């Protein structure tokens, strides 16, 4: 079996049926995605709009594309016509821009609210208090083209499992706190990457985003 197909089936086998696996293909060429597609995988995550559009153009239209990286408002229009989910919604301005661009395309776009729990200040995402105030203002009630499906978060980059577990538990707590505002459609807790996805699942993740364990190390110099 090809290496990518082999990695996919090993990771899939380690996950409960109910957990969605996002294959994070950023920086990897379209041929690598094609291999995963041929092995039956359909859900891919990218972190740059330009790269995402280029891959969308050349790859099968059955692919479900998720935007997982920081997104500038002026780039939303490029991905709005086809993106399935935007996981990195970290500001009111971004949510409102997605509403506007989705309406222009006559689409409803699923989003996740990205919450900042990691120790690194550099990582993006809402602070819970700030997000709760925004949600309390009922702003999403006037966004018919945006469907809030849950939250996304990234744990602190560390080998200390107890720190990672604390971050994931905090994300789970945020998820449960926000769920009553949105109801049953708020069903997605996206957390866990190559080095910590099993721990994330233990902590209640429903969606893991795995890149290097499927496609190998990323080579940013190739871009
Ligand atoms: C790159 C990326 C991933 C995947 O990271 P790996 O360590 O390669 O599995 C997951 N989530 C986000 C937001 C990313 O940017």
């Amino acid at each position: 079996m090809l290496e990518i197909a082999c990695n996919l089936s090993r990771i899939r086998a380690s996950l409960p049926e109910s957990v969605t696996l996002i294959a994070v293909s950023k920086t990897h060429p379209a041929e690598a995605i094609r291999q995963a597609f041929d092995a039956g995988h359909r859900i891919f995550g990218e972190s740059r709009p330009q790269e995402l559009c280029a891959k969308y153009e050349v790859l099968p239209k059955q692919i479900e594309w998720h935007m997982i990286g920081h997104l500038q408002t002026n780039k939303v229009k490029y991905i709005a016509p086809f993106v399935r989910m935007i996981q990195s919604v970290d500001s009111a301005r971004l949510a409102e821009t997605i509403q506007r661009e989705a309406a222009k395309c006559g689409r409803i776009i699923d989003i996740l609210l990205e919450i900042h729990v990691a120790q690194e200040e550099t990582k993006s995402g809402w602070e819970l208090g700030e997000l709760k105030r925004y949600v309390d203002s009922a702003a999403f009630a006037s966004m018919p083209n945006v469907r809030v499906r849950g939250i996304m978060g990234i744990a602190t980059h560390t080998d200390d499992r107890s720190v990672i577990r604390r971050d994931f538990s905090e994300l789970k707590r945020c998820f449960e706190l926000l769920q009553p505002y949105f109801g049953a459609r708020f069903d997605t807790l996206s957390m866990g990457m190559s080095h910590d996805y099993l721990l994330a699942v233990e902590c209640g993740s429903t969606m893991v985003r795995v890149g290097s364990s499927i496609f190998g190390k990323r080579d940013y110099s190739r871009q």
Side-chain angles (χ1 to χ4, degrees):
M1 212 192 318
L2 290 164
E3 194 178 343
I4 289 172
C6 196
N7 292 339
L8 269 169
S9 65
R10 177 174 42 80
I11 292 165
R12 187 65 264 176
S14 72
L15 293 170
E17 194 88 48
S18 58
V19 172
T20 303
L21 172 62
I22 311 286
V24 177
S25 47
K26 63 187 183 195
T27 78
H28 295 284
E31 305 88 82
I33 301 174
R34 168 70 74 171
Q35 277 184 38
F37 181 86
D38 289 343
H41 199 76
R42 293 292 177 271
I43 316 178
F44 295 88
E46 286 282 336
S47 60
R48 293 180 179 194
Q50 231 170 345
E51 188 178 341
L52 174 51
C53 289
K55 287 170 174 172
Y56 169 74
E57 288 301 324
V58 301
L59 285 159
K61 296 297 176 273
Q62 301 98 295
I63 289 179
E64 187 181 306
W65 292 103
H66 288 227
M67 178 69 195
I68 63 167
H70 181 68
L71 181 58
Q72 289 174 294
T73 52
N74 62 350
K75 301 283 169 64
V76 174
K77 59 177 177 285
Y78 301 115
I79 63 171
F82 67 89
V83 75
R84 176 68 64 90
M85 182 182 266
I86 299 176
Q87 300 205 3
S88 42
V89 178
D90 59 359
S91 73
R93 213 172 133 238
L94 180 56
E96 285 149 21
T97 305
I98 295 168
Q99 162 56 34
R100 204 163 52 242
E101 295 300 331
K104 277 190 204 162
C105 306
R107 299 187 69 223
I108 293 174
I109 296 180
D110 283 347
I111 68 162
L112 299 180
L113 301 166
E114 182 176 357
I115 297 184
H116 182 270
V117 291
Q119 280 165 4
E120 296 96 350
E121 279 303 319
T122 50
K123 295 211 168 119
S124 46
W126 302 80
E127 300 300 332
L128 182 61
E130 174 200 14
L131 174 57
K132 273 199 72 196
R133 278 191 295 282
Y134 187 61
V135 169
D136 269 328
S137 75
F140 288 107
S142 57
M143 294 188 212
N145 300 78
V146 166
R147 191 160 46 200
V148 184
R149 296 294 305 275
I151 69 171
M152 185 271 259
I154 303 173
T156 304
H157 189 76
T158 174
D159 291 330
D160 185 341
R161 310 298 281 177
S162 67
V163 171
I164 299 175
R165 185 183 289 278
R166 190 204 56 200
D167 287 350
F168 287 152
S169 305
E170 175 62 11
L171 286 168
K172 170 81 171 168
R173 189 180 76 86
C174 295
F175 176 76
E176 286 170 347
L177 245 149
L178 290 166
Q179 195 169 37
Y181 291 89
F182 297 99
R185 66 182 178 167
F186 194 85
D187 59 1
T188 305
L189 176 52
S190 172
M191 59 185 195
M193 307 172 31
S194 289
H195 65 287
D196 58 16
Y197 72 89
L198 289 175
L199 185 50
V201 169
E202 256 179 58
C203 296
S205 173
T206 70
M207 182 178 273
V208 295
R209 309 175 309 269
V210 179
S212 35
S213 292
I214 296 171
F215 295 107
K217 267 219 200 67
R218 283 183 289 278
D219 178 3
Y220 286 97
S221 66
R222 260 197 332 214
Q223 292 205 300

